[in-house]
Amino acid sequence: MTSVEIPTSVAAALPTLSVLDITNEVSRQVRRSGIAAGLAYVTACSPSSLVRVTERESGFFCDFEALLERLVPLDVAERERLIVALLGPRTEAIPFVEGRLCLGQWQRVLIFGFNGDASGEYTLTVVG
C-alpha cells in the first residue's frame, strides 16, 4: 500500500465558513527547519482568516457556523472583521519537540476563513 500526504485539504466548505487543514504542510516545514524543539507560530495571510488547533470533525464546523451566524448575523456590515475580532488572535503557537508538532491524537492545524476566501496561505515562524 502506498500513502500520499496531501499538503492542504478542505476540511469544510460551508456557506459562510471555509476550513483548510494545513497540518501536514506545517509539520513538514517544522521538520525541515532543523530546529529540534520550540514553538511554531502559524498565521493566516488573509485578514479575514485565522489559524486554530482543533479536531477535524464535520459536525463541529456546522455547529460553529451556526453559532457565528447567531453572534454576528449575515447582514451585519464588515461581518468577517467582527468575527475575527471575537475569536481572538489570528496566530496559533504550536509547541514541537524532536521536529514533531505536539498535537493531540485527533488535533489538526486548521485555517478558518469567513468571507468565502479559501486561501490556504499562511506564514510560519519557527523559534527554538
Side-chain angles (χ1 to χ4, degrees):
M1 173 187 259
T2 302
S3 66
V4 176
E5 190 172 282
I6 300 171
T8 302
S9 63
V10 176
L14 302 168
T16 64
L17 176 66
S18 301
V19 184
L20 299 173
D21 187 336
I22 58 170
T23 309
N24 295 338
E25 191 173 328
V26 171
S27 294
R28 188 177 314 108
Q29 290 176 324
V30 167
R31 259 192 320 274
R32 289 180 182 163
S33 74
I35 299 173
L39 288 173
Y41 292 94
V42 186
T43 305
C45 289
S46 171
S48 61
S49 298
L50 53 84
V51 176
R52 288 293 178 266
V53 172
T54 189
E55 293 181 11
R56 182 177 171 169
E57 199 274 309
S58 60
F60 166 76
F61 300 131
C62 292
D63 293 344
F64 186 60
E65 183 183 45
L67 171 69
L68 292 176
E69 190 172 336
R70 286 192 310 270
L71 290 173
V72 185
L74 295 173
D75 59 350
V76 170
E78 297 190 38
R79 179 178 189 266
E80 296 82 18
R81 184 182 58 79
L82 293 171
I83 288 173
V84 171
L86 281 172
L87 297 176
R90 295 181 45 244
T91 300
E92 189 75 78
I94 308 163
F96 64 93
V97 177
E98 297 177 3
R100 296 178 53 109
L101 297 176
C102 298
L103 298 173
Q105 180 176 0
W106 307 110
Q107 288 183 319
R108 307 295 291 173
V109 182
L110 305 172
I111 294 179
F112 287 77
F114 304 102
N115 70 352
D117 177 16
S119 170
E121 295 182 19
Y122 63 91
T123 59
L124 173 67
T125 303
V126 179
V127 179

